[in-house]
Amino acid sequence: MEIRLQKFLAQAGVASRRASEELILAGKVAVNGQTVTKLGTKIDPEKDLVTVNKKVIKVEKQKFYIALNKPAGYITSLKDPQGRKKVTDLLKDIQVRIYPVGRLDYETEGLLLLTNDGDFAYNLTHPKHKIKKTYLAQVQGIQSENDLQKLRTGIMLSDGPTATAEVNLLKKGKNTATIKITIHEGRNRQVRRMFEAINHPVLHLKRVRIGNLDLGALKVGEYRFLTPLEVQSLLKMSTNSDKP
């Protein structure tokens, strides 16, 4: 059965579907020895030979779904010219190529999913599915109810206004506060930029929930495999989000 080339690459764990499209457009993918740059190209995985940068690509039959408690000081990219530590360095017992589902910035801790299932990654990260992500943010200064309401209704950032958010003040310190914030967008450094916009910069940020999956008791730097029920539940959430 024929499938789109970018979907095949995602299923093979080469990269997310979006990143696979970029590889195709960059001329790094070949089918049966011929470079392909059209995104609509279809292939038969049983008959066609696909290479990326001249490396033969095959679909892994076994799918992996992993929850990691990401430490600060790790990047979620698979390569880094600066030589910084990568989250995949923490998965020493995993021998297949997997990649992060979405991202957390360098200094942010908490729940990060990794997989070699491109469809799973696509369903959880595509903006139309609006999968909620919850963070605990320790921020500088004490927020007024007016500040919190601004976060709830939307903040104007350099790349446009944010969508509505769920925001709760959990704790006040001497000159800090702990805020729980839930968003469904995935912009770069979004939570940090939202708090910067109301003049209360983030001192520490941790993601504690994706969809209906909690970080739970995972210690910093540790990971575990998701159960089949957890995988199905996350996929069901993304499917239901498409319904009116």
Side-chain angles (χ1 to χ4, degrees), residues 28-237:
K28 296 182 179 181
V29 182
V31 178
N32 300 324
Q34 299 294 317
T35 299
V36 174
T37 55
K38 280 185 65 176
L39 296 182
T41 301
K42 290 187 176 182
I43 62 134
D44 185 337
E46 299 294 327
K47 299 178 181 178
D48 294 318
L49 178 68
V50 178
T51 59
V52 175
N53 292 324
K54 298 183 179 181
K55 179 181 178 181
V56 176
I57 303 302
K58 296 181 180 179
V59 173
E60 292 281 352
K61 292 184 178 180
Q62 185 178 4
K63 300 299 182 183
F64 290 84
Y65 307 91
I66 293 170
L68 167 74
N69 188 346
K70 175 193 173 296
Y74 281 76
I75 63 167
T76 51
S77 300
L78 298 181
K79 294 182 180 179
D80 182 42
Q82 301 179 44
R84 293 173 295 180
K85 293 179 288 188
K86 306 181 294 294
V87 290
T88 49
D89 296 336
L90 298 166
L91 310 178
K92 302 187 184 300
D93 298 329
I94 309 299
Q95 301 303 315
V96 299
R97 187 179 186 278
I98 62 173
Y99 53 88
V101 178
R103 72 185 86 178
L104 285 177
D105 68 52
Y106 185 68
E107 291 300 334
T108 299
E109 298 180 2
L111 183 58
L112 179 70
L113 301 180
L114 300 100
T115 188
N116 62 343
D117 183 341
D119 288 335
F120 177 80
Y122 175 82
N123 278 303
L124 290 188
T125 57
H126 196 286
K128 71 178 182 180
H129 293 148
K130 298 182 179 180
I131 300 298
K132 291 183 177 182
K133 297 167 283 284
T134 300
Y135 300 80
L136 295 182
Q138 183 188 37
V139 301
Q140 187 174 334
I142 304 300
Q143 287 68 45
S144 67
E145 183 58 30
N146 184 51
D147 287 331
L148 299 181
Q149 193 58 30
K150 288 179 182 177
L151 295 170
R152 293 184 184 113
T153 56
I155 295 284
M156 179 58 73
L157 301 179
S158 59
D159 50 358
T162 62
T164 57
E166 300 169 26
V167 182
N168 297 100
L169 175 62
L170 299 183
K171 181 181 177 182
K172 290 185 178 181
K174 190 171 183 180
N175 191 36
T176 63
T178 301
I179 309 292
K180 182 169 77 169
I181 179 168
T182 299
I183 62 174
H184 62 72
E185 297 176 288
R187 305 191 208 179
N188 185 39
R189 299 184 71 254
Q190 180 173 339
V191 173
R192 293 182 184 275
R193 290 193 292 142
M194 289 173 71
F195 280 104
E196 287 169 4
I198 60 170
N199 299 313
H200 293 288
V202 170
L203 303 174
H204 181 263
L205 187 62
K206 182 176 185 177
R207 185 159 68 190
V208 295
R209 188 177 177 90
I210 298 174
N212 54 9
L213 183 71
D214 287 314
L215 180 61
L218 268 182
K219 296 179 180 178
V220 175
E222 290 187 345
Y223 69 90
R224 69 172 180 86
F225 293 97
L226 299 186
T227 66
L229 186 61
E230 287 173 329
V231 173
Q232 292 170 14
S233 180
L234 287 167
L235 287 174
K236 185 176 180 180
M237 288 189 67

